Every structure is written in C-alpha cells, then in structure tokens.
C-alpha cells in the first residue's frame, strides 16, 4: 500500500510560497528587460505603462513601477482588505527591484516579433509562478479588482479596459505596428499561464445517458479502470427518469470509452468535453 505523501508544515508552506513569488518576479523582470523594454512592447499592466513613460520621459521603469504600485497597494488595502493586500506586497516591491537589478542585461534580439513571443512566454511563466505561490505583482491587476468591487464591472472586462488603454497608448506614443506586437505578446502570455498552470495533460469528462447503465458500469470500472458517478436526470420531453454516468478519463482513453459504450448501447447519448485539471485517485495529487 502506498504511503501518503508527506504534507508540508505551515512554516515550510509559507517559505515555499515566498520562494515562488521571488522566483516568478525574477523571471518576469528578466523577460521584461530582455525582450519587452528594448523593443518598446508595452503589453499591458504597470510594466507596460513604465515602458511608455521611459520612451516619453526617460524615467527608469523600476521607478515608475514603484511609484504606481505603492499607491495601488495602499488603495487595495482600503478597498479590498488587509488580507488581500498582504498577498500583493511582496511581488509589488520585489518585481521593480528585480527590474532594476537586471536592467544591465543586453537584449538578445531586436526583432519585435521574436521579442513579443519570447517576452510573452517569459512573462507568462513568471506570472504563473507568482500565482502558484499565492501572490501577485500588484499593478493594474489590483486596479481591476478594485474597479470590479466598487462598480460591479466584471473583473475580466476591467482587465481588458486597462490593458487595452495601455496598448492604445503604445499605438499613439510609439507606433500602431508595435501595438500589434504588444497584442501578440499579451496573447502569448495568457496561453503560457494556462499551459504552466494546467499543462498538456488535459483530461476529458464524459456524461453518458443510457438505459443500460447496469451493463456499462462494470465495464468502465473494471476494463477501463476508471471510477464513475451516477447522476439522476429527467428527460426534458418525456419527463421520465434517466440514468446519467459521469466519467473522467485521460485523452488516450476516450476512444476506448466510446467504443465500449457504443458496443453495449448504440443508442446511448454521450457528451465529452475538456477539463483542465482533475485531482484525486488516478489523476493529480493536490498540494
């Protein structure tokens, strides 16, 4: 019998979270200095604003980031509460510090497309690491959350508005072409965060509506070696009770599941959709 994985003590858990926020902030700052800043790619957030300020006034980006982050952090404590502010203080302070410390590193490319792609990947990895540590780098993310709480505007819409304003500023201050590269970088960042948090091991969740669940259950449990959950449904047209089985399988097991169901109940109704993460026996262990 396998022994349960040893859980971290509260102190070690805090240390691990701090290390993740520090590492993520360093990756984020390095990517910013290597790819985004030298090519004028302001892909949103306070970091994007600092790129525009550097182009217009020659102010060191780290200074702009501190000047904007500190008031936003204090406002977040008032609007969102001390607990939320505590999660953001470390990243809000150390990210600009790492930007300052890594500002001497020369840019490996001045091709804006390459810079947008690699910068987006680096920023995505950095942010995903910070998020995994339960932290935040502050900036316009705090502003979006405060706007959501104060006005009721959906959070994702607030983020789009703020990032959109930065990209429009890029088009006006630098050039419309660079603004398009900023959009590419922003898209790559979002996809990288998804990949870093969920990985490539997408699982599938299947809902099977069948009159022969008694035959199908042992096949799924024993032949496919997957657990299932029986749900109670009701036909929308007939009003009759229907049996619904919910099964989670890996991608390579989907074909076997479909063939098994079709072989024993050709009239079964199957719904299969993607699910990003599954925790539990046979899948990932939550930590």
């Amino acid at each position: 019998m396998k022994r349960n994985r040893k859980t971290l003590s509260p102190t070690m858990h805090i240390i691990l979270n701090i290390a993740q926020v520090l590492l993520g902030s360093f990756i984020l700052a390095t990517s910013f200095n290597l790819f985004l800043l030298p090519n004028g790619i302001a892909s949103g957030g306070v970091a994007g604003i600092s790129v525009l300020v550097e182009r217009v006034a020659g102010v060191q980006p780290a200074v702009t980031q501190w000047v904007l982050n500190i008031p936003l952090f204090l406002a977040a404590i008032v609007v969102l509460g001390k607990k939320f502010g505590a999660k953001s203080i470390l990243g809000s302070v150390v990210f600009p510090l790492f930007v300052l410390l890594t500002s001497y590193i020369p840019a490996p490319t001045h091709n804006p497309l390459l810079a947008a792609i690699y910068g987006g990947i680096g920023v995505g990895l950095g942010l995903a690491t910070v998020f995994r540590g339960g932290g935040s780098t502050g900036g316009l993310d705090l502003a979006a959350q405060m706007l959501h709480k104060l006005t009721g505007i959906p959070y994702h819409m607030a983020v789009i508005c703020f990032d959109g304003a930065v990209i429009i500023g890029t088009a006006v201050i630098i050039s419309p072409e660079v603004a398009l590269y900023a959009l590419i970088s922003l898209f790559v960042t979002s996809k990288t965060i998804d990949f870093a948090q969920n990985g490539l091991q997408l699982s599938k969740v299947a809902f099977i509506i069948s009159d022969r669940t008694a035959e199908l259950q042992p096949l799924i449990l024993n032949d496919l070696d997957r657990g299932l959950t029986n749900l109670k449904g009701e036909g929308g047209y007939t009003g009759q009770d229907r049996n619904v089985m919910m099964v989670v399988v890996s991608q390579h097991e989907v074909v076997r599941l479909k063939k098994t169901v079709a072989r024993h109940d050709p009239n079964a109704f199957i719904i299969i959709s993607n699910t990003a993460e599954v925790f539990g026996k046979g899948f990932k262990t939550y930590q």
Side-chain angles (χ1 to χ4, degrees), residues 209 211 233-243:
I209 303 172
D211 293 326
E234 180 180 299
Y237 180 74
T238 63
Q240 295 179 349
D241 293 337
R242 302 300 302 273
N243 296 319

Side-chain angles (χ1 to χ4, degrees), residues 202-206 224 249-260 270 272-274:
L202 291 176
S203 298
K204 305 285 187 179
V205 57
L224 268 68
V249 295
S250 58
Q251 292 193 81
H252 70 273
E253 293 172 323
V254 172
V255 174
R256 288 180 58 197
L257 176 65
K258 291 192 293 187
K259 288 183 176 180
T260 298
I270 308 175
I272 299 177
S273 60
N274 291 326

Side-chain angles (χ1 to χ4, degrees), residues 32-107:
F32 174 81
N33 278 321
L34 285 176
F35 301 106
L36 303 183
L37 179 62
N39 294 278
I41 299 175
S43 58
V46 165
I49 295 175
S50 70
V51 172
L52 300 180
V53 173
E54 193 268 346
R55 286 298 179 100
V56 173
V59 178
Q60 170 68 250
V63 174
T64 301
Q65 292 162 12
W66 269 318
V67 168
L68 293 177
N69 271 340
I70 292 174
L72 284 170
F73 167 71
L74 295 176
I77 292 178
V78 175
V79 176
L80 302 174
K82 294 181 180 180
K83 183 177 181 181
F84 186 88
K87 294 181 179 180
S88 303
I89 184 171
L90 182 60
S92 299
V93 172
V94 300
F95 169 59
L97 176 62
F98 285 143
V99 168
L100 184 64
L101 295 176
T102 59
S103 60
Y104 66 91
I105 304 176

Side-chain angles (χ1 to χ4, degrees), residues 106-163:
T109 180
H110 289 286
N111 182 309
L113 180 58
L114 291 177
I117 293 173
Y118 284 106
I121 292 173
V123 169
L125 289 174
L127 287 174
T129 305
V130 171
F131 296 157
R132 189 173 290 274
S136 167
T137 55
L140 295 187
D141 178 63
L142 294 179
Q145 298 209 35
M146 287 187 285
L147 183 63
H148 166 65
K149 183 171 183 178
L150 293 174
T151 67
I153 294 175
Y155 170 72
H156 69 278
M157 286 300 300
V159 172
I160 291 173
C161 289
F162 284 124
D163 286 342

